[in-house]
Amino acid sequence: MALVIKDRVKESSATTGAGTYTLAGAEAGFQTFAAIGNGNTTYYAATDGTNWEVGVGTYTTSGTTLARTTIISSSNGNAAVSWGAGEKLIFCTQPASNAL
């Protein structure tokens, strides 16, 4: 398992609760998390336009999921957000805490 960061990776998800994200396909002009590679980790951000979460996720091709491996920061006191119904956008990013 390697940490992989790619440009222009962004997918939607209808996942509810605080579990693993099920990815629903790339947004127009972006690539899917498949670019990260099965079993690899990446930095991600997720938002529904109000709530947000930044963390390290593990991508799995089976079921096209992104597991929330580590939450770095969030609108929920830096814990996993328990999402309600509706679309969430999930994308690769570099956390501010990792910037030089």
Side-chain angles (χ1 to χ4, degrees):
M1 170 169 62
L3 177 66
V4 177
I5 301 171
K6 296 284 185 171
D7 294 325
R8 303 201 51 82
V9 173
K10 184 178 181 183
E11 293 198 51
S12 62
S13 176
T15 297
T16 58
T20 296
Y21 294 111
T22 298
L23 303 170
E27 293 288 293
F30 292 85
Q31 58 185 332
T32 68
F33 275 86
I36 301 304
N38 188 48
N40 291 328
T41 59
T42 193
Y43 294 116
Y44 75 89
T47 185
D48 63 2
T50 302
N51 299 298
W52 57 272
E53 178 179 288
V54 175
V56 176
T58 303
Y59 176 74
T60 304
T61 54
S62 176
T64 56
T65 62
L66 187 70
R68 300 182 203 189
T69 307
T70 304
I71 306 301
I72 296 171
S73 60
S74 78
S75 59
N76 186 33
N78 298 332
V81 173
S82 184
W83 301 105
E87 181 182 58
K88 275 63 76 182
L89 296 177
I90 306 168
F91 53 93
C92 285
T93 190
Q94 178 183 349
S97 60
N98 290 9
L100 298 175

